[in-house]
Amino acid sequence: GAGVSQSPSNKVTEKGKDVELRCDPISGHTALYWYRQSLGQGLEFLIYFQGNSAPDKSGLPSDRFSAERTGGSVSTLTIQRTQQEDSAVYLCASSYPGQQETQYFGPGTRLLVL
Amino acid sequence: AQSVTQLGSHVSVSEGALVLLRCNYSSSVPPYLFWYVQYPNQGLQLLLKYTSAATLVKGINGFEAEFKKSETSFHLTKPSAHMSDAAEYFCAVSATNTGFQKLVFGTGTRLLVSP
């Protein structure tokens, strides 16, 4: 079946602009995660959704970052007033109920803030 | 809290040689442990995972890893390297006592394979 998909694959934006990154998890996967991969910080957890429950936002680096998940499926990560340090690869992952320890990753969105 | 240390940001081997990528973890509770591989401009692919069953775990592409509690290690090995193994490898840990399995990653090891 189809894997986790993310769009866009690449995004270039100007400092101060808002961006939206999209993630489509694997069908039937109830858990969804966002991670960020940057040169300075490595791979960092950002946020976690489980079904329609309130998300765990403990990894979000600032209040400029937010995410939502509609209908327990597609998720959008929004970064407001982007800064150059937001440049990174944003990875989405999903996992199956009862096997949440195994996360399947999408190809990522490469964000460059000029 | 959990953490992972990967020794060596780069490892170089010749084709056909043994691959050994080192990972040590720290966890206050029994961990789940993972190895992921990332090829250029791609996402992470799960190689193998340890979830408290057998301590020797076999994964895809001929890789295996052994969980050693006494050494808090989970090193990744492959008997004979192929050119196609050149990639970045990440070790990760997650706690077994949390409501979800947040992954904590190491800094990664880039494997270089020469002919």
Side-chain angles (χ1 to χ4, degrees):
Chain A
V4 176
S5 60
Q6 293 186 245
S7 60
S9 54
N10 293 281
K11 177 70 176 179
V12 181
T13 191
E14 294 178 349
K15 178 182 174 181
K17 295 284 180 67
D18 297 352
V19 294
E20 287 188 350
L21 313 179
R22 177 187 168 105
C23 172
D24 282 273
I26 294 172
S27 177
H29 284 199
T30 56
L32 186 147
Y33 310 76
W34 284 97
Y35 292 85
R36 179 170 71 174
Q37 185 175 23
S38 59
L39 284 176
Q41 301 297 324
L43 273 156
E44 308 169 275
F45 164 79
L46 296 178
I47 189 169
Y48 157 79
F49 294 89
Q50 172 59 269
N52 293 318
S53 302
D56 185 307
K57 307 178 184 179
S58 59
L60 294 179
S62 77
D63 58 9
R64 296 186 295 104
F65 287 72
S66 63
E68 63 177 19
R69 190 177 184 193
T70 54
S73 181
V74 172
S75 176
T76 302
L77 177 69
T78 301
I79 310 173
Q80 295 179 309
R81 305 180 303 281
T82 52
Q83 304 294 312
Q84 288 182 330
E85 61 263 28
D86 299 335
S87 296
V89 177
Y90 289 83
L91 293 165
C92 177
S94 67
S95 64
Y96 190 74
Q99 207 175 42
Q100 271 188 252
E101 75 281 359
T102 302
Q103 298 178 24
Y104 296 86
F105 283 80
T109 292
R110 286 157 186 77
L111 175 66
L112 177 61
V113 182
L114 301 176
Chain B
Q2 293 78 40
S3 66
V4 167
T5 301
Q6 290 185 244
L7 295 176
S9 59
H10 292 79
V11 169
S12 295
V13 300
S14 299
E15 192 172 20
L18 171 71
V19 175
L20 171 61
L21 304 182
R22 299 179 185 275
C23 172
N24 287 88
Y25 70 92
S26 173
S27 178
S28 55
V29 297
Y32 288 155
L33 292 161
F34 307 83
W35 276 99
Y36 282 86
V37 62
Q38 187 176 37
Y39 297 100
N41 299 316
Q42 294 187 26
L44 299 171
Q45 180 182 6
L46 181 65
L47 275 178
L48 49 80
K49 63 181 179 181
Y50 166 76
T51 57
S52 75
T55 56
L56 181 63
V57 181
K58 294 187 183 297
I60 62 171
N61 301 339
F63 285 94
E64 64 182 36
E66 186 171 10
F67 172 70
K68 292 187 177 180
K69 184 178 179 181
S70 61
E71 299 178 7
T72 61
S73 69
F74 191 58
H75 302 331
L76 182 70
T77 60
K78 182 174 180 178
S80 176
H82 294 169
M83 296 295 291
S84 59
D85 294 328
E88 188 148 23
Y89 292 79
F90 293 91
C91 183
V93 62
S94 69
T96 54
N97 68 336
T98 56
F100 71 100
Q101 307 298 341
K102 179 181 82 170
L103 291 173
V104 175
F105 287 90
T107 52
T109 297
R110 185 165 299 279
L111 177 66
L112 307 170
V113 183
S114 56

